[in-house]
Amino acid sequence: RADGHQVPPPVVHYKLNELTSSDSAAAQGERILILTPMSRFYQEYWDNLAKLKYPHELISLGFILPKTKEGSAATTALQEAVAKTQAGPIDSRFASVTILRQDFDPPIISQDEQERHKKENQKLRRESMSRARNSLLFTTLGPATSWVLWLDADIVETPPTLIEDLTKHDKPVIVPNCFQRYFNEDTKQMDVRPYDFNSWRDSDTALDMAAKMGPDEILLEGYSDMATFRALMAYMASGLEDADPHQEVELDGVGGTALLVKADVHRDGAMFPAFPFYHLLETEGFAKMARRLGYTCWGLPDYFVYHYNE
Ligand code: GDP
Ligand code: MN
């Protein structure tokens, strides 16, 4: 200005009480943040993001990658994919993209240990994943974010209507069933099998086991010497051709391969515990924390996303 005074930057007001997360998300112009911890880049994952029908101008993307050789290769591939899409047709461009590199060491995973040590590895790995998810969440969640969609980098098959399909349930936390395609040697045909066992309804057995545990001990799903008898969503799929993909079940634990969360649940403080929380870690601990905050968690046993098969 001629008088030499600087114009102070404008103060931006966000009315959080007017920020909605509703069953008509796109029509309401609700912004969604898709968050992905990524150790490897899969083109199929990116192609599915690019094909999402939800208005891309309402979608922001956030990634966190480990500081490993593998993580560096994935970062390069991801940056190329981002550059291509963001230079493409305006309608295809995402609102914003944030790429973070982890500031802590990756977990050390030893190969042949005894069962107990394997569990210990699982503990370190999931604590490390919790820190990665929390770093990503706390640096990218904005005042205009209505929804957060957690989507793993190795989820290679998702419907283009994924966001509309999940938001329309209008749930605080909702998770589809994560399966995997494989070649069935018995039938000599391609087949599907459950992949993610972290979405479950609790059992008295698991609660009793937890009650007898020390403060640092955790419950893990899928270990024969730790049978929890929880009801796993993986086994609730009807298997029927004409199954209703929108049938809901209430859950106590959730997996994070694909997981939709109302941003207010995170804003209230629900995150991924990197420490035993009610003897649960990461996404299962998150579900517990969300429930302790008064929210409910839901699953769609007959709505599928598919995990890469290595
Ligand atoms: P699993 O499928 O449950 O056995 O777990 P993954 O190994 O696939 O990890 C879950 C997600 O986190 C995937 O999207 C991985 O690409 C990503 N991931 C795995 N390890 C790391 C890590 O050390 N750091 C980060 N930032 N992401 C990771
Ligand atoms: Mn995976």
Side-chain angles (χ1 to χ4, degrees), residues 6-110:
Q6 272 207 297
V7 180
V11 174
V12 185
H13 292 262
Y14 292 93
K15 296 185 176 165
L16 284 178
N17 59 341
E18 287 173 16
L19 183 66
T20 60
S21 46
S22 70
D23 61 0
S24 48
Q28 298 286 330
E30 293 169 4
R31 295 185 172 275
I32 183 163
L33 177 60
I34 302 181
L35 296 181
T36 301
M38 177 181 280
S39 56
R40 287 188 198 165
F41 177 84
Y42 292 100
Q43 190 60 44
E44 296 93 327
Y45 158 88
W46 186 264
D47 291 344
N48 291 331
L49 281 191
K51 281 186 215 142
L52 285 174
K53 289 228 161 68
Y54 200 79
H56 285 203
E57 67 195 28
L58 298 176
I59 303 176
S60 288
L61 308 177
F63 302 89
I64 188 163
L65 300 95
K67 266 196 189 152
T68 55
K69 207 174 154 196
E70 196 180 50
S72 297
T75 305
T76 305
L78 172 63
Q79 276 168 335
E80 277 171 25
V82 169
K84 224 182 209 171
T85 300
Q86 297 303 78
I90 302 237
D91 283 354
S92 309
R93 297 180 196 174
F94 295 103
S96 68
V97 182
T98 307
I99 301 176
L100 309 175
R101 294 302 293 275
Q102 241 162 258
D103 65 351
F104 50 88
D105 291 332
I108 301 141
I109 297 168
S110 59

Side-chain angles (χ1 to χ4, degrees), residues 2 14 42 57-58 64 87 107 110 115 131 141 159 164 168 191 208 211 214 219 224 243 251 256 284 294:
Y14 292 93
Y42 292 100
E57 67 195 28
L58 298 176
I64 188 163
S110 59
E115 192 67 26
R131 288 206 298 276
L141 187 74
E164 291 85 340
K168 92 172 198 192
D191 207 340
D208 283 350
L219 281 167
S224 54
L251 297 174
E284 293 163 301

Side-chain angles (χ1 to χ4, degrees), residues 39 42 125 133 152-155 178 195 257 307-308 310:
S39 56
Y42 292 100
R125 192 177 154 272
R133 290 188 192 279
D152 275 358
D154 46 15
I155 296 304
C178 178
Y195 182 83
T257 52
H307 190 279
Y308 184 76
E310 287 179 32

Side-chain angles (χ1 to χ4, degrees), residues 175-227:
V175 63
N177 222 345
C178 178
F179 271 45
Q180 182 179 53
R181 295 192 191 278
Y182 76 107
F183 186 75
N184 186 328
E185 290 295 346
D186 296 333
T187 63
K188 302 288 174 209
Q189 279 179 356
M190 287 307 288
D191 207 340
V192 296
R193 62 187 172 201
Y195 182 83
D196 191 342
F197 295 107
N198 293 332
S199 296
W200 39 257
R201 237 184 354 241
D202 232 328
S203 65
D204 290 340
T205 308
L207 295 172
D208 283 350
M209 287 163 81
K212 292 181 186 119
M213 282 181 161
D216 286 334
E217 286 184 274
I218 53 161
L219 281 167
L220 290 167
E221 200 46 65
Y223 286 86
S224 54
D225 63 342
M226 205 193 236

Side-chain angles (χ1 to χ4, degrees), residues 165-299:
D165 294 344
L166 296 182
T167 53
K168 92 172 198 192
H169 284 267
D170 196 15
K171 297 295 190 202
V173 177
I174 195 163
V175 63
N177 222 345
C178 178
F179 271 45
Q180 182 179 53
R181 295 192 191 278
Y182 76 107
F183 186 75
N184 186 328
E185 290 295 346
D186 296 333
T187 63
K188 302 288 174 209
Q189 279 179 356
M190 287 307 288
D191 207 340
V192 296
R193 62 187 172 201
Y195 182 83
D196 191 342
F197 295 107
N198 293 332
S199 296
W200 39 257
R201 237 184 354 241
D202 232 328
S203 65
D204 290 340
T205 308
L207 295 172
D208 283 350
M209 287 163 81
K212 292 181 186 119
M213 282 181 161
D216 286 334
E217 286 184 274
I218 53 161
L219 281 167
L220 290 167
E221 200 46 65
Y223 286 86
S224 54
D225 63 342
M226 205 193 236
T228 62
F229 299 100
R230 288 165 175 158
L232 306 182
M233 184 168 76
Y235 300 128
M236 293 178 199
S238 78
L240 301 172
E241 286 274 325
D242 61 351
D244 173 11
H246 290 290
Q247 191 222 312
E248 304 166 345
V249 294
E250 195 169 344
L251 297 174
D252 298 303
V254 299
T257 52
L259 171 68
L260 183 76
V261 181
K262 286 195 180 187
D264 276 349
V265 177
H266 284 314
R267 258 184 217 111
D268 276 3
M271 45 67 155
F272 302 94
F275 51 86
F277 179 72
Y278 287 78
H279 309 285
L280 303 169
L281 290 175
E282 207 205 356
T283 57
E284 293 163 301
F286 160 75
K288 183 71 182 178
M289 211 176 283
R291 290 190 302 119
R292 292 292 285 123
L293 283 162
Y295 294 107
T296 49
C297 301
W298 298 83

